[in-house]
Amino acid sequence: MITVIEFVLRAVSGGGLPWFVGHECRAGLIDLISKFDPDLGSVFHEGLDVGGRRKVIFSLKPLRFVSDFEVVFPEKSFRRFLVDGNVVFRPGARASMSVAVFRDDLASRFVARLLSGVSELRINVKGYEFEVDRLGFEVMNPREVVRGELFEEVDVEFITPTYFNPLRGDARYKILYPDLTLMFASLISISHQLTDISYPRPEELAELTYISGLEIKTPYIKEMGHEAPTGFVGWVKLRIKKEVNDEVRRMIAGLLKLGEITNIGGNRSGGYGVIKLKTERENVKTLNN
């Protein structure tokens, strides 16, 4: 199962932050966990050793303001992409952050620790404190999630910086654009980890789809203290080829839907790879409204 924990936050003071604070939110989350359960904090920080490899056990959707804020852009910046801006917020500004935990035992332990200290919950993000006003919980069966609904095309918005690890060659050099084979490789990997479902090779699924439109940018992330690349943001329009049968269409749709919950690509626990889907049917509904 996947347990999604949503934090509804309130800023203790006013201030300013970069638009993308994935690493800072991860550090604040682990610090919060460690105060209640140091051993659990270590697991969230280091991952689990499975067969000699470290498995990440959660993904993060970093801080996003919803009230009492504005995005300020540096002079001469290209303002189409929010990631180029900084967020100025007022005292009491509301924000949200969520964590998807991939193991039932760790999720149960995490939730129990949060509830035991609910009146004391505060998260520190880059020196600013946020009180936890409300906690929300949702438990999802990944096998149900990957039973996707049919669509002909879908817009995939890459909300936070995204990058992919190459399938072959030097893994130090990351892929900073929406390569379909690598997208499916990432989605298949997390789905197999959570469901044990077998899939075609990512190259085979990539052959059945194509990108019919895109607008992306690789932003410069200031004060990066890690070797992870910045990644790209933007959107792509993904279409499935007409000859593809319904079973495979549902498979592709389900993998993408899972990625919307778990993030996609590298460094998901650091808030990278947050995506949002909009299908053609949803577009029509929006236009009619």
Side-chain angles (χ1 to χ4, degrees), residues 123-141:
I123 293 178
N124 187 294
V125 179
K126 205 175 173 65
Y128 293 103
E129 279 202 328
F130 292 83
E131 293 181 343
V132 178
D133 272 358
R134 181 165 59 86
L135 290 171
F137 307 97
E138 185 175 4
V139 179
M140 306 176 189
N141 185 338

Side-chain angles (χ1 to χ4, degrees), residues 2 4 25 43 45 48 55 64 83 110 130 176 197 199 205 207 214 226 243 251 262 264 282:
I2 303 171
V4 178
C25 288
V43 173
H45 182 264
L48 286 176
K55 287 284 187 181
R64 180 177 63 87
V83 76
F110 182 24
F130 292 83
L176 305 184
I197 293 174
Y199 290 93
L205 290 184
E207 282 293 320
L214 82 163
H226 303 264
E243 63 270 19
M251 178 188 299
T262 65
I264 189 173
E282 290 170 334

Side-chain angles (χ1 to χ4, degrees), residues 239-257:
R239 294 187 65 88
I240 300 177
K241 294 180 179 178
K242 292 182 178 180
E243 63 270 19
V244 177
N245 63 47
D246 285 354
E247 180 183 356
V248 176
R249 287 176 182 272
R250 291 186 189 278
M251 178 188 299
I252 292 171
L255 285 170
L256 289 169
K257 189 64 180 177

Side-chain angles (χ1 to χ4, degrees), residues 1-6 61 98-104 107 136-146 194-195 257-262:
M1 305 295 279
I2 303 171
T3 301
V4 178
I5 303 157
E6 181 184 15
K61 289 180 171 51
S98 66
V99 182
V101 184
F102 305 148
R103 285 180 58 111
D104 293 348
F137 307 97
E138 185 175 4
V139 179
M140 306 176 189
N141 185 338
R143 284 184 167 268
E144 293 295 327
V145 172
V146 296
L194 295 173
T195 68
K257 189 64 180 177
L258 184 65
E260 197 173 32
I261 298 167
T262 65

